[in-house]
Amino acid sequence: LLRRALAGREKALGPDNLTTLTTVGTLARVLEETGKLENAEALHRRVFSGRRRALGGAHIDTLEAMNNLAVAMQKRGELEKADKLLRTALRGRTDALGERHADTLSTLNSLALVRQKRGRLEQAESLYRKALAGREEVLGADHPDTLVTCHNLAVV
């Protein structure tokens, strides 16, 4: 159904329309969840490029797409590239939303995970601690995202 919706939106609105790109992003996440990581990454890249062209690199929707692309890259093992994108997304989200915004903290947790996978355990631990403190404050100690960061910190 998503492919059908995407085809219709591409035809009616154009391939670079922001509404079309939202559908592309949704399809990318579904593909990512079903293990089709290469296809998902290509679609995340399309969303990021399209939003950057339409909205600029500092727009929160572009930063979301950058974050999503970086997470897809991390899942495919492209850790250096993911690290670089996540650092850029973290700076952008911190500037646009603040250090204690849930989206900023999500990017911080993702960056910690990449650092962990790269064997930079001290850096990962520090980033997880910062993400955990922020998530506890903003989301609460029992929020699922907070618990993910708690788990990640426990196993680093």
Side-chain angles (χ1 to χ4, degrees), residues 58-68 86-108 110:
H59 192 279
I60 58 172
D61 291 345
T62 304
L63 296 169
E64 174 192 38
M66 182 186 299
N67 183 83
N68 293 343
L86 286 167
R87 282 184 279 127
T88 302
L90 182 60
R91 279 192 304 274
R93 281 182 156 180
T94 300
D95 290 347
L97 303 170
E99 283 188 353
R100 293 298 204 211
H101 190 279
D103 291 344
T104 306
L105 295 168
S106 176
T107 301
L108 185 61
S110 295

Side-chain angles (χ1 to χ4, degrees), residues 37-39 41-42 45 71-79:
L37 300 178
E38 190 171 323
N39 294 337
E41 183 181 327
R45 190 174 304 283
V71 169
M73 295 170 96
Q74 172 265 309
K75 289 180 179 180
R76 290 194 62 223
E78 298 177 38
L79 300 178

